[in-house]
Amino acid sequence: MSEAVDLGFPSLRLVPKTEAPQTAKDFKTDQEVRWCPGCGDYAILAGVQSFMPELGLKKENIVWISGIGCSSRFPYYMNTYGMHSIHGRAPAIASGLAMTRPDLSVWVVTGDGDALSIGGNHLMHALRRNVNLKILLFNNRIYGLTKGQYSPTSEFGKVTKSTPLGSLDYPFNPVSFALGAEASFVARTIDSDRKHLTETLRAAALHEGTALVEIYQNCNIFNDGAWDPLKDSDHRDSLTFRLEHGKPITLVDGSRGVYRAEDGTLQIADVDEVGRRSLLIHDAHAADPSVAFGLSRLSDPLSLANTPIGVFRDVKRATYDEMFQAQLHKAQEGGRGDLAALIAGKDTWEIAP
Amino acid sequence: MTKEVVQLDQVIIRFAGDSGDGMQLTGDQFTSRTAEFGNDLSTLPDFPAEIRAPAGTLPGVSAFQLHFADHEIMTPGDSPNVLVAMNPAALKANIKDLPRGADLILNTDEFTSRNLAKVGYDTNPLDDGSLDSFRVHPIALTSLTVEALKDFDLGKKEAERAKNMFALGMLSWLYHRPTEATIEFLGNKFGRTPEILAANIAAFEAGWSYGETTEEFSVQYEIRPARMKPGRYRNISGNVALSYGLIAASERAGIPLYLGSYPITPASEILHELSKHKNFGVMTFQAEDEIAGIGAALGASYGGMIGVTTTSGPGVALKSETIGLAVALELPLVIVDVQRGGPSTGLPTKTEQADLLQAMFGRNGEAPVPIVAPCSPADCFNAAIEAVRIATTYRTPVFLLSDGYLANGSEPWQIPSIESLPDLTVQFASEPNHTNDDGSMDFWPFIRDPETLARPWAVPGTPGLEHRIGGIEKADGSGNISYDAANHDKMVRLRQAKIDGIDVPDVVVDDPSGDARVLLLGWGSTFGPIGAAVRRVRSEGLPVAEAHLRHLNPFPKNLGEVLKGYDKVVIPEMNLGQLALLIRGKYLVDAIPYNQVRGLPFKAEELAGVIKDVIASV
């Protein structure tokens, strides 16, 4: 629908660029933000609004689509086009929009319940198709909008209103899920770390195809402190692996690192013990997702020890929307169809007056 | 040898055999040649949901019925004059539908004791006298085919498979059908395997020659071309006509068509058909499930496409929440429901009209959706255009209620000129439409057109119209989230008023004598059977009126007046009285429902009996 513009963001090359400089304020709406005071969503919203001008896109060519849940109110607060849809279905709706409108930058906001419970099927298929969507999954390990039931990412045994004796569900690891679903881009970041959040959003925006960004987000009402060990300045550096392409994988404090054991599994050991040269070098562009998957399994869902943060996987694969449009163009190379010829078909007869 | 030629005014043939015997293909070819010859015709394919049930069993019987005539006909016919049964199962499954004196062409090779036992025949009907009231033509179709192909380098199994072509050749001779196009069709189908192609042609020709020479058939039949309105014709099935209607609507609107769909019987063929026409800019997406199919279609509509989803009843159940979202968002969307027997999986390959109330009411909250229903296979073309017109004009999801009978049945269609199709040009929003208190301009997504009550269709990419919409109740005008009680009451009524106010043509009553006191009211695919029944009743000198509804929501404005003009209103439906419930509720008319849910269209003779009983009671 519009001229192609090279933005330096290959995934957005068909989206028209703005001429006027933008600021975060341009992306704010006049609607009162109605999340609970202290909710992690505020930090993510501010982070996204600050990042958006960097894309340099015309605001009218940006669309935010969400499902249902606290996080899904997000589109109302972004001064772009937006749709607050129904529970779990945002990836399906966004797919229909993105594949028909290559001139749009389409973003999906979802939560752990929306994306992984009711909408698991759509998320899985969006990821494998590699539609040009950026999916932000706010993971707070609880159902907030329905007031505090356990979610598919809640830790085993979680006591909530619906599980007074503890939840019996083994939790999903969204990164493992996405890698298993053939995702071409998977990353994880934290609501309170603005710098890392922005870096991760940038990487996702640069990626051609579906990008899944899991954002650890705090629900201070129903699951306060769920990610505290990863935020608390006393502990976080000894609990978090910071994944950076081309660099050895170590905890932020450098004490321990990841290496490949003889049985092929990824193991963690003191760097001094195994030696720096034995450490695994992070390759986000590796075609084979098995190392990325191995990395996603390092963290302990209860204590959060050994949690990797950053881009797990970022590989090039033909995008669905691009191939979809290519088929359309190819079919019309020989000229557009002739409606009269189509409806008549090849086998007609004439009744004379 | 020249045989006597007998003139007939109409014939009903049913081809029946195992699912693997190629009966649908045989029927299709016979139909195409009949259309080419110029007879009016109507077809009824009737096949099992199983792809290949065990050979020779009753559940595996697949049949194709064709009614053709030298005059206008409206149905595939009540009972066949001719049954071609390829095995004992096909005979057993169909014999009850045949009137005395009907012709039975039986493939004797398959009437072995094993095959007879498989379907519960204790004695062989070929010689136990049970078929004495029929004209039986015992013909060894399989061995005649194998004999005809003995010079080909084919295995016995492969040669036997051509027996449907032998049968087709024989029937083509018997009813004077043209042959060239059948041979051309075989060329296209088997062109890549010359040996198989040659064998099929040889079997077809052997069947023709057999008909000519055998003493089994003493006469040849001729059914003269029907006198139809002048013009160019083709034969078309409902699913193809519906697909073409959607493409035509897209062309006339100047907006690309987008189909989001998930395969389901009997609607999948629309997905297949539309997928072939990307050169019209038609976009098709086979989604991961029914919900994603409609979700993607709604996303495309939001982006300015004509979003369509195709399904059957079980799929509609899954899509209900998204249809409700489309009602709330007030975006165009067409939901095609090719109805089949229900509830649940029900009868996937059989027809029914039992989704009317699901289409009407099957959502949470007050969520009115317009409903359009085609009345014949070819009419699916016009109904699809009408559904798109309503969706785009009123920014609303629209139900298009076809059914299994319309979908697979076919009839001759006078091809319309493109210019005669309605202009569906759409005006997208391009300018702000609201002045703020400070004098600045803004875009409010829920300011309505005073005439249609439609809201603006503002697609992403339009500068200055950035806005947010959602399933939460919106403030009238601004579209911002609103939980205000009075606003909700207003919005519910506005959405209802928009649908109630849709401009639909008046229903036309057919009452040639003007003396009728009984009205037959129908909708959808009962049009043919009701029409045929009414014709029979009138031919006996009894007056009866007939009206058929294309629009089920809203009803035509004159419907109430029409209903009040008759002493009795009879509503035949392939459900347990769904339209009758709506009519009684809305118009307080004591309508008489007549209902069958047998998975097959009504028989004209039965309906005629019902009508006569009601007339007698007036």
Side-chain angles (χ1 to χ4, degrees):
Chain A
M1 294 217 173
S2 292
E3 295 284 302
V5 179
D6 183 10
L7 299 169
F9 283 92
S11 68
L12 301 172
R13 66 182 180 278
L14 298 175
V15 186
K17 196 179 180 181
T18 182
E19 286 142 30
Q22 294 167 333
T23 66
K25 199 161 165 282
D26 293 316
F27 290 93
K28 291 183 176 148
T29 63
D30 60 356
Q31 297 298 292
E32 183 195 351
V33 183
R34 295 192 197 172
W35 287 311
C36 308
C39 176
D41 290 356
Y42 283 96
I44 303 172
L45 177 63
V48 169
Q49 286 170 337
S50 303
F51 167 68
M52 281 280 123
E54 197 181 311
L55 292 175
L57 302 175
K58 286 190 169 171
K59 258 185 350 172
E60 63 266 24
N61 289 76
I62 300 171
V63 186
W64 288 83
I65 297 186
S66 63
I68 291 292
C70 292
S71 60
S72 287
R73 296 298 178 95
F74 201 92
Y76 289 115
Y77 312 133
M78 290 296 297
N79 194 9
T80 62
Y81 281 88
M83 186 197 291
H84 177 214
S85 76
I86 43 177
H87 210 7
R89 317 302 172 200
I93 294 168
S95 292
L97 181 64
M99 73 179 77
T100 54
R101 293 288 305 271
D103 62 324
L104 301 178
S105 169
V106 183
W107 297 70
V108 170
V109 174
T110 182
D112 38 318
D114 193 55
L116 296 168
S117 256
I118 194 164
N121 197 33
H122 307 305
L123 177 63
M124 169 167 83
H125 290 277
L127 292 171
R128 82 174 161 90
R129 281 192 197 105
N130 209 27
V131 184
N132 197 4
L133 298 174
K134 310 305 156 201
I135 303 173
L136 310 186
L137 192 168
F138 298 9
N139 182 5
N140 55 20
R141 312 187 87 179
I142 199 78
Y143 280 86
L145 200 60
T146 50
K147 302 190 176 175
Q149 301 82 10
Y150 72 105
S151 92
T153 56
S154 294
E155 55 278 20
F156 181 82
K158 189 161 189 77
V159 174
T160 70
K161 283 176 189 156
S162 60
T163 50
L165 302 180
S167 140
L168 305 177
D169 289 27
Y170 194 79
F172 252 136
N173 177 326
V175 170
S176 301
F177 171 89
L179 290 166
E182 305 290 352
S184 60
F185 181 101
V186 189
R188 176 185 289 149
T189 185
I190 301 180
D191 58 0
S192 55
D193 187 343
R194 169 71 69 90
K195 185 165 170 284
H196 192 261
L197 173 70
T198 306
E199 277 169 23
T200 312
L201 292 174
R202 186 179 300 126
L206 277 166
H207 176 74
E208 294 179 80
T210 313
L212 179 84
V213 179
E214 181 191 17
I215 305 175
Y216 283 173
Q217 174 251 329
N218 190 44
C219 171
N220 58 322
I221 304 295
F222 296 108
N223 202 20
D224 195 23
W227 308 112
D228 271 2
L230 305 177
K231 299 180 175 189
D232 161 12
S233 56
D234 291 341
H235 300 99
R236 65 184 178 206
D237 291 353
S238 61
L239 294 175
T240 315
F241 287 107
R242 188 64 67 96
L243 300 176
E244 289 174 82
H245 179 74
K247 294 196 177 158
I249 303 167
T250 65
L251 292 172
V252 175
D253 68 8
S255 61
R256 290 160 73 78
V258 178
Y259 72 101
R260 189 189 287 283
E262 276 178 21
D263 65 358
T265 58
L266 300 188
Q267 299 288 345
I268 299 166
D270 286 345
V271 172
D272 296 342
E273 208 172 289
V274 292
R276 226 180 141 70
R277 290 178 57 191
S278 314
L279 296 181
L280 201 63
I281 306 293
H282 183 48
D283 181 4
H285 309 317
D288 185 318
S290 57
V291 175
F293 187 82
L295 290 170
S296 77
R297 309 307 296 169
L298 294 176
S299 48
D300 175 37
L302 271 179
S303 72
L304 304 180
N306 305 320
T307 299
I309 298 290
V311 178
F312 286 73
R313 177 170 169 82
D314 179 4
V315 297
K316 268 199 192 306
R317 195 170 83 223
T319 67
Y320 187 93
D321 34 311
E322 210 171 332
M323 296 186 288
F324 186 82
Q325 291 293 330
Q327 282 192 345
L328 266 184
H329 287 127
K330 190 164 193 313
Q332 295 176 78
E333 265 170 11
R336 214 179 148 74
D338 174 353
L339 183 60
L342 171 76
I343 66 174
K346 287 178 185 156
D347 199 0
T348 65
W349 68 95
E350 191 82 32
I351 304 283
Chain B
M1 183 169 77
T2 316
K3 291 188 184 174
E4 185 196 347
V5 174
V6 174
Q7 295 292 331
L8 297 176
D9 61 352
Q10 61 172 327
V11 177
I12 301 165
I13 299 182
R14 186 182 293 177
F15 298 92
D18 243 349
S19 299
D21 281 345
M23 291 298 99
Q24 302 302 321
L25 184 144
T26 309
D28 273 342
Q29 280 307 303
F30 198 88
T31 301
S32 293
R33 299 299 77 78
T34 296
E36 182 191 336
F37 187 74
N39 295 126
D40 196 11
L41 64 88
S42 175
T43 67
L44 176 66
D46 184 19
F47 45 87
E50 292 77 16
I51 305 301
R52 294 278 161 89
T57 62
L58 290 170
V61 174
S62 173
F64 186 102
Q65 185 164 312
L66 167 68
H67 182 189
F68 59 107
D70 66 359
H71 55 273
E72 189 200 351
I73 52 170
M74 307 193 71
T75 73
D78 290 359
S79 20
N81 314 113
V82 183
L83 172 70
V84 180
M86 301 300 281
N87 63 15
L91 175 67
K92 183 145 194 178
N94 292 289
I95 188 74
K96 61 183 182 306
D97 296 335
L98 266 64
R100 279 201 192 88
D103 283 289
L104 275 177
I105 297 173
L106 304 177
N107 179 13
T108 53
D109 288 322
E110 291 292 322
F111 281 67
T112 61
S113 51
R114 187 158 171 270
N115 284 352
L116 291 166
K118 227 185 250 182
V119 293
Y121 277 124
D122 296 329
T123 53
N124 190 342
L126 285 172
D127 50 32
D128 66 4
S130 63
L131 302 178
D132 282 356
S133 52
F134 303 99
R135 284 195 291 187
V136 180
H137 308 276
I139 299 170
L141 287 171
T142 311
S143 42
L144 282 166
T145 306
V146 172
E147 174 64 19
L149 302 181
K150 66 174 187 295
D151 294 336
F152 287 83
D153 184 21
L154 291 175
K156 185 160 174 282
K157 274 241 156 70
E158 277 175 314
E160 285 179 352
R161 284 185 64 182
K163 63 181 180 293
N164 63 329
M165 286 300 116
F166 186 94
L168 180 62
M170 194 172 74
L171 271 291
S172 296
W173 173 82
L174 192 57
Y175 291 99
H176 255 109
R177 302 292 98 178
T179 59
E180 295 77 10
T182 295
I183 289 169
E184 192 185 314
F185 164 83
L186 290 172
N188 289 334
K189 188 171 171 66
F190 298 113
R192 273 181 297 178
T193 43
E195 186 74 4
I196 302 285
L197 168 62
N200 273 284
I201 293 174
F204 177 75
E205 286 172 344
W208 176 280
S209 312
Y210 179 80
E212 210 168 22
T213 51
T214 180
E215 289 177 12
E216 194 52 63
F217 300 117
S218 53
V219 294
Q220 192 178 16
Y221 298 103
E222 190 171 87
I223 298 88
R224 294 222 171 90
R227 250 173 295 165
M228 295 158 86
K229 275 189 220 152
R232 191 151 214 54
Y233 283 78
R234 64 166 287 166
N235 192 50
I236 198 158
S237 72
N239 272 348
V240 172
L242 197 150
S243 307
Y244 288 180
L246 291 173
I247 297 173
S250 152
E251 291 284 296
R252 297 297 282 172
I255 302 178
L257 185 73
Y258 178 90
L259 174 70
S261 184
Y262 187 75
I264 185 170
T265 304
S268 304
E269 205 189 354
I270 304 171
L271 167 63
H272 304 166
E273 186 61 40
L274 288 176
S275 299
K276 289 193 272 190
H277 304 298
K278 292 187 165 52
N279 58 334
F280 288 89
V282 174
M283 296 173 271
T284 57
F285 173 57
Q286 182 179 316
E288 59 270 24
D289 60 25
E290 295 279 1
I291 300 171
I294 188 173
L298 183 61
S301 282
Y302 178 57
M305 314 293 147
I306 295 174
V308 178
T309 191
T310 48
T311 189
S312 187
V316 173
L318 287 164
K319 295 178 197 290
S320 298
E321 192 190 13
T322 313
I323 300 170
L325 176 63
V327 169
L329 297 179
E330 301 192 44
L331 282 171
L333 184 68
V334 175
I335 303 114
V336 179
D337 176 1
V338 185
Q339 300 165 94
R340 66 191 217 187
S344 188
T345 307
L347 304 172
T349 58
K350 312 287 178 190
T351 196
E352 205 161 280
Q353 292 183 298
D355 293 350
L356 175 58
L357 294 182
Q358 177 175 229
M360 190 75 188
F361 299 122
R363 290 164 295 284
N364 62 306
E366 296 289 351
V369 176
I371 304 170
V372 176
C375 68
S376 76
D379 187 48
C380 289
F381 180 83
N382 298 315
I385 293 174
E386 174 67 352
V388 172
R389 177 190 75 87
I390 294 175
T392 53
T393 308
Y394 295 89
R395 326 283 202 236
T396 175
V398 176
F399 263 104
L400 181 53
L401 282 186
S402 178
D403 66 33
Y405 165 50
L406 297 179
N408 294 315
S410 66
E411 64 179 351
W413 177 43
Q414 189 181 354
I415 302 158
S417 72
I418 305 304
E419 301 71 45
S420 69
L421 305 177
D423 178 1
L424 301 181
T425 308
V426 169
Q427 211 58 47
F428 289 114
S430 58
E431 301 287 336
N433 59 358
H434 173 77
T435 312
N436 293 318
D437 292 342
D438 63 2
S440 60
M441 291 303 286
D442 211 344
F443 177 69
W444 279 20
F446 282 83
I447 291 179
R448 295 170 190 281
D449 179 297
E451 204 164 297
T452 60
L453 296 182
R455 76 174 191 89
W457 191 1
V459 303
T462 316
L465 308 192
E466 295 88 345
H467 65 279
R468 276 64 55 191
I469 51 177
I472 297 186
E473 187 60 282
K474 293 151 286 286
D476 181 29
S478 74
N480 291 330
I481 291 179
S482 168
Y483 301 120
D484 180 75
N487 175 74
H488 177 58
D489 188 84
K490 185 177 184 189
M491 288 295 275
V492 167
R493 290 174 197 279
L494 272 171
R495 286 187 289 258
Q496 185 68 49
K498 180 177 82 167
I499 303 309
D500 291 345
I502 290 172
D503 182 25
V504 307
D506 277 353
V507 65
V508 178
V509 180
D510 175 45
D511 180 11
S513 69
D515 298 333
R517 296 173 66 190
V518 173
L519 173 74
L520 264 280
L521 182 69
W523 69 280
S525 74
T526 53
F527 177 73
I530 291 175
V534 162
R535 203 188 272 173
R536 283 178 198 219
V537 172
R538 285 179 188 157
S539 71
E540 294 175 30
L542 297 169
V544 60
E546 183 197 355
H548 209 75
L549 292 172
R550 149 154 303 182
H551 295 91
L552 282 309
N553 192 31
F555 286 130
K557 303 249 177 320
N558 68 334
L559 182 58
E561 278 309 304
V562 165
L563 295 172
K564 286 185 178 64
Y566 296 89
D567 294 341
K568 302 265 179 179
V569 176
V570 182
I571 304 182
E573 293 178 87
M574 295 185 290
N575 58 41
L576 294 186
Q578 301 195 3
L579 174 63
L581 181 79
L582 295 177
I583 293 290
R584 284 162 164 253
K586 187 166 168 77
Y587 299 105
L588 300 178
V589 167
D590 190 16
I592 303 167
Y594 179 70
N595 308 102
Q596 281 184 1
V597 278
R598 302 182 314 163
L600 290 165
F602 284 108
K603 292 187 172 174
E605 187 58 40
E606 283 175 26
L607 268 186
V610 171
I611 298 168
K612 283 187 276 184
D613 287 349
V614 175
I615 291 174
S617 76
V618 173

